Amino acid sequence: MDKKHKPTDSPSQDTPDEIALPADVAGSGSLDRLVETARDYAEHAASNNTLKAYAADWAHFARWCRMRGTDPLPPSPELVGLYIADLAAAQGKTPALSVASIERRLSGLGWGYAQRGQPLDRKDRHIATVLAGIRRKHARPPVQKEAILADDIRAMVATLPHDLRGLRDRSILLIGFAGGLRRSEIVSLDHGKDDTPDAGGWVEIMDQGALITLRGKTGWREVEIGRGSNEQTCPVHALQQWLHFGRISFGPIFTGVTRDGKRARETRLNDKHVARLIKRCVLDAALRPDLPDAERVKLYSGHSLRAGLASSAEIDERHVQKHLGHASAEMTRRYQRRRDRFRVNLTKAAGL
């Protein structure tokens, strides 16, 4: 490999090692410690999943450049414009990417260039006009996942066994539905505050329900999950049962279970477990029996829980928006699969 290409793929470039003292400032014990502290904060500027995706985006772009005898550095809007055009109109066996995936790739490239101290101007006409054309020619309405409604979630939890794994999975589904949580938020929960450094939040169980404190994209938010009217489907009762029999008193709440099914492990579950659990229960509960199994599982994902709560809760939209942590009512409406669209008739209100 040509030496000039090595720095573009080096993993060390994907960390904030460039944070250092100014060249004209002499180092000292206290300043050096602050540099390490600043690097630690910089490492937490984005989630691990986001950083992995951005690193993969940069690696793909670097390989694309090498295969065409060029270098990704310094930033070239003309080259990036050609790259995204190739992603949108891929040749041969390589499938074309969606508009959303191309925009994500651009974000990854922007991050990669910023890590190397050479910002990319995404507003440059060589990028902006090509992207605008890709959006105009290839953009499609987003494919929404099927909402898991109240009757669906009851049918799904009824398929779970009453062993330790069943208690855990029942709690995952009910807490995820009642909290309107993302799958990553579900598995990131700890028993208490500051239990582990990789936690995304913690749970406090009260007489009236459970209070979940979550670290979101825009800061911390609280999610209140009230107790249900039936113990069989009460999310708080299900969580208490799992915590009790799993002997979870510290650290990650949702963990693996030993092979014999008698003891909870200490290792946090991956968010993919939530997706697999939903798809398996959809099949076992025979949701959408009008479709073949392969099509049924494609309809449902982790977001089906959030969409199900937004679609099932017959309350003021503002409460649903706050519960889901959405910045706008418009985002909340995207999750509502069966809302009354013409409850407010502005035509009549305007006098027509």
Side-chain angles (χ1 to χ4, degrees):
M1 182 186 296
D2 193 333
K3 291 184 179 180
K4 72 177 182 178
H5 292 301
K6 288 184 179 180
T8 63
D9 291 329
S10 172
S12 64
Q13 295 292 335
D14 297 333
T15 62
D17 292 338
E18 296 300 321
I19 295 177
L21 288 172
D24 57 344
V25 175
S28 66
S30 61
L31 285 176
D32 290 342
R33 283 193 296 273
L34 284 175
V35 168
E36 292 302 316
T37 301
R39 287 177 177 172
D40 181 64
Y41 281 131
E43 287 177 352
H44 290 84
S47 70
N48 288 334
N49 287 342
T50 299
L51 292 177
K52 288 179 182 177
Y54 283 173
D57 292 339
W58 178 263
H60 184 274
F61 177 58
R63 287 194 300 271
W64 184 89
C65 289
R66 282 200 306 272
M67 292 174 65
R68 286 154 182 81
T70 186
D71 197 297
L73 293 172
S76 167
E78 294 89 344
L79 189 62
V80 173
L82 296 177
Y83 172 66
I84 63 174
D86 191 27
L87 296 178
Q91 303 295 321
K93 296 182 180 180
T94 304
L97 294 187
S98 67
V99 175
S101 295
I102 292 173
E103 290 176 335
R104 213 290 307 281
R105 287 278 176 92
L106 270 178
S107 297
L109 297 191
W111 172 86
Y113 279 118
Q115 293 298 108
R116 293 158 178 78
Q118 302 185 47
L120 173 68
D121 182 11
R122 288 184 55 175
K123 294 182 179 179
D124 184 282
R125 65 184 181 86
H126 294 92
I127 299 176
T129 54
V130 173
L131 183 59
I134 291 172
R135 288 193 185 114
R136 187 176 182 85
K137 186 173 182 178
H138 298 294
R140 298 184 299 272
V143 178
Q144 292 187 319
K145 294 297 182 180
E146 192 88 354
I148 292 175
L149 304 176
D151 288 342
D152 299 330
I153 199 74
R154 281 192 285 266
M156 290 168 67
V157 298
T159 67
L160 295 172
H162 291 279
D163 57 9
L164 197 57
R165 286 191 181 86
L167 291 177
R168 178 200 63 193
D169 291 343
R170 183 175 286 101
S171 179
I172 286 175
L173 290 177
L174 291 172
I175 287 292
F177 176 84
L181 304 180
R182 301 173 178 87
R183 68 186 194 186
S184 60
E185 292 173 336
I186 297 171
V187 298
S188 74
L189 293 174
D190 270 8
H191 188 278
K193 182 181 180 182
D194 299 328
D195 278 0
T196 63
D198 64 333
W202 66 92
V203 179
E204 182 180 357
I205 297 180
M206 306 174 178
D207 291 340
Q208 292 181 304
L211 178 65
I212 297 180
T213 304
L214 287 170
R215 180 174 57 218
K217 296 179 180 179
T218 57
W220 292 94
R221 66 185 178 95
E222 292 182 342
V223 176
E224 300 170 2
I225 300 180
R227 293 185 182 273
S229 55
N230 186 328
E231 278 194 354
Q232 299 300 315
T233 55
C234 172
V236 182
H237 178 74
L239 178 59
Q240 288 178 302
Q241 291 286 295
W242 161 244
L243 293 176
H244 174 72
F245 289 103
R247 298 181 181 180
I248 308 291
S249 60
F250 181 86
I253 285 181
F254 296 115
T255 66
V257 175
T258 55
R259 284 183 180 272
D260 59 13
K262 296 181 178 179
R263 182 172 56 84
R265 300 181 184 274
E266 296 181 357
T267 308
R268 189 187 305 278
L269 284 177
N270 187 288
D271 66 341
K272 290 184 175 62
H273 174 82
V274 180
R276 290 193 294 265
L277 171 63
I278 289 172
K279 293 178 184 297
R280 186 179 76 241
C281 289
V282 162
L283 292 177
D284 292 345
L287 302 188
R288 292 299 304 271
D290 55 308
L291 298 175
D293 287 356
E295 291 185 28
R296 280 198 286 159
V297 295
K298 288 181 180 179
L299 280 178
Y300 295 90
S301 72
H303 258 57
S304 295
L305 296 176
R306 281 169 67 79
L309 178 74
S311 303
S312 301
E314 300 291 341
I315 59 174
D316 192 300
E317 192 176 72
R318 291 172 298 174
H319 298 298
V320 180
Q321 178 184 340
K322 178 179 180 295
H323 197 80
L324 297 182
H326 289 155
S328 67
E330 181 59 35
M331 178 59 72
T332 302
R333 294 186 190 111
R334 295 181 189 178
Y335 283 77
Q336 295 172 324
R337 304 292 192 263
R338 61 176 193 182
R339 65 188 177 89
D340 184 358
R341 296 181 179 274
F342 297 101
R343 182 175 55 186
V344 177
N345 190 327
L346 291 181
T347 306
K348 290 183 178 179
L352 297 180

